[in-house]
Amino acid sequence: DKGGWSSFMAKEVAEQPDAVANTLRGRIVDDAVVVPELAAFGDEALAGIRRIVIIACGTAAYAGMTAQYAIEKWARVPVTVELSHEFRYRDPVITDDTLVISISQSGETMDTLMAVKYAREAGARVISICNTQGATIPRESDAVVYTHAGPEVAVASTKAFVAQITALYLFGLHLARVRGSLSVEEQAEQVRELVAIPAKIATVLESSATVAQLAHWMADTRAVLFLGRHVGFPIAMEGALKLKELAYIHAEGFAAGELKHGPIALIEPGQPVFVVVPSPRGSATLHPKVVSNIQEIRARGARVIAIAEEGDAAVLPFADEVVRIPLAAPLFEPLLAVVPLQIFAMELSIAKGLDVDQPRNLAKSVTVE
Ligand code: F6R
């Protein structure tokens, strides 16, 4: 039931504040993160982990790439992120102090299921992040942390993505607590940021009309580029994936620092480029670098759409459009910056007269390898 919305995707995009809030529920105790499912897995076992490998596909893999920054920063454990189908077939080194985390909305993705089975046979313990109660991947795992995004019907993943990042952040903070790598005050600070996210996503949703308008102007665009840096990098790739699958437009997400190593050659007059701009307060070193990337592409004629923090005036002289997101600590910006990109892809799909909920050639869960 679309509940009055024009599509399941529109409904699910709007449900993102709840998806995050429901995923947090029952997992925060006195400003500290205590995930009951992880406590059951064993805090001692978690404290002994030397390496984390995250496996997932598509949007779920971008959630993993986003969380990699936070988990390493908070828990000081090396984290790598791999596509399930690559991991499984390259004879990876798995030791018994390796923790594998799988991420899957459906819990039925065959590539990820096979990778989970493979990892366990090789001696790793597997914790799964999943949105579907009783699905196959959770049954094959040592522990499950459910995302409580509610059923996701539209083929393009939206609310599951923000819920996955939320669950992974909870994991990271739980791990940091058992490892003692963050002070009580540092933990409380991150928890405060996390619980403020639902209201901030709601604010981003209120300004969605601007992005919608932009999409309708760009209905005959042939290619769109997305740039981001640090946690903005996986968000750039997620923005590009949404656009490919929903609007059938060639789209690429790049790390902004890669620009001069190749992709800048793609910039020609009129080329639309979305740039996820890091906070000038939170990322004092990266913000000017990304602003200078914007200047470089603007000088070559790019049409720049900046996703920037409220009050960031540095982008104004160079951006053609600025989409504002509320202030948040750097690691939490992805949960806000992704929303305008989802809406842009959805609206461009609508502008082209396509089926937003059921893009061609795609299935909601990919149960074949
Ligand atoms: C993109 C999308 C896919 C899925 C991927 C993994 O919008 O929906 O990329 O994210 O197929 O699916 P799950 O999370 O069910 O394993």
Side-chain angles (χ1 to χ4, degrees):
D1 177 19
K2 292 180 198 161
W5 293 90
S6 55
S7 62
F8 281 107
M9 184 175 173
K11 174 173 178 272
E12 289 159 9
V13 164
E15 285 170 347
Q16 293 185 105
D18 292 336
V20 173
N22 292 338
T23 300
L24 293 176
R25 188 157 301 130
R27 292 166 170 173
I28 294 169
V29 182
D30 295 334
D31 278 354
V33 171
V34 183
V35 180
E37 301 89 321
L38 295 175
F41 176 83
D43 284 351
E44 221 164 285
L46 281 177
I49 293 301
R50 292 283 159 269
R51 187 167 76 106
I52 295 171
V53 180
I54 297 178
I55 50 173
C57 304
T59 290
Y62 295 139
M65 283 184 64
T66 305
Q68 176 186 28
Y69 295 79
I71 299 171
E72 283 202 345
K73 185 159 178 69
W74 295 335
R76 308 310 298 161
V77 181
V79 180
T80 50
V81 184
E82 272 194 76
L83 297 169
S84 314
H85 36 89
E86 286 295 323
F87 171 78
R88 160 83 177 76
Y89 291 101
R90 67 171 183 82
D91 200 6
V93 177
I94 300 169
T95 49
D96 52 15
D97 53 9
T98 302
L99 175 69
V100 170
I101 301 180
S102 92
I103 313 169
S104 175
Q105 187 287 128
S106 61
E108 300 295 346
T109 299
M110 186 59 77
D111 289 315
T112 303
L113 174 63
M114 296 310 282
V116 164
K117 287 187 175 171
Y118 177 87
R120 287 186 84 199
E121 273 161 27
R125 300 237 273 158
V126 178
I127 295 176
S128 289
I129 310 284
C130 182
N131 196 47
T132 311
Q133 295 281 336
T136 311
I137 293 172
R139 285 204 306 271
E140 295 289 336
S141 306
D142 296 288
V144 196
V145 177
Y146 281 105
T147 47
H148 298 294
E152 194 180 61
V153 178
V155 164
S157 189
T158 54
K159 63 176 182 174
F161 178 71
V162 293
Q164 283 158 352
I165 295 174
T166 303
L168 289 160
Y169 279 20
L170 287 170
F171 168 83
L173 290 170
H174 183 107
L175 187 62
R177 184 176 50 74
V178 304
R179 293 175 68 91
S181 52
L182 284 185
S183 71
V184 169
E185 182 42 40
E186 285 166 330
Q187 291 175 55
E189 225 178 279
Q190 310 307 317
V191 168
R192 283 194 291 273
E193 286 284 340
L194 207 43
V195 299
I197 288 298
K200 291 181 187 178
I201 296 180
T203 305
V204 181
L205 289 169
E206 279 164 26
S207 57
S208 63
T210 332
V211 195
Q213 210 168 37
L214 202 63
H216 287 263
W217 287 335
M218 288 168 60
D220 48 11
T221 300
R222 292 174 49 99
V224 180
L225 305 180
F226 295 78
L227 294 181
R229 190 159 183 152
H230 191 254
V231 280
F233 170 38
I235 296 305
M237 292 194 286
E238 169 61 6
L241 177 60
K242 288 283 101 78
L243 198 59
K244 287 175 212 177
E245 63 179 335
L246 291 168
Y248 317 153
I249 289 176
H250 185 192
E252 255 354 291
F254 299 108
E258 272 296 289
L259 206 52
K260 55 184 158 307
H261 300 287
I264 199 164
L266 289 168
I267 306 294
E268 54 186 23
Q271 172 62 56
V273 185
F274 277 82
V275 184
V276 181
V277 184
S279 157
R281 302 161 308 116
S283 313
T285 44
L286 294 183
H287 177 266
K289 293 186 196 297
V290 173
V291 172
S292 108
N293 290 143
I294 294 179
Q295 284 175 263
E296 286 156 9
I297 58 174
R298 189 68 186 311
R300 289 161 179 82
R303 176 161 179 211
V304 177
I305 304 115
I307 314 278
E309 184 179 273
E310 209 62 70
D312 178 358
V315 295
L316 286 173
F318 316 111
D320 297 271
E321 310 285 344
V322 182
V323 180
R324 293 296 182 181
I325 57 170
L327 275 59
L331 291 169
F332 298 85
E333 288 166 13
L335 291 159
L336 309 176
V338 73
V339 177
L341 302 182
Q342 297 165 338
I343 296 173
F344 177 75
M346 175 173 76
E347 293 292 340
L348 199 45
S349 167
I350 294 168
K352 291 181 74 170
L354 304 173
D355 185 341
V356 207
D357 287 339
Q358 293 270 312
R360 69 183 177 200
N361 309 341
L362 291 169
K364 182 62 184 162
S365 75
V366 185
T367 53
V368 287
E369 256 195 278

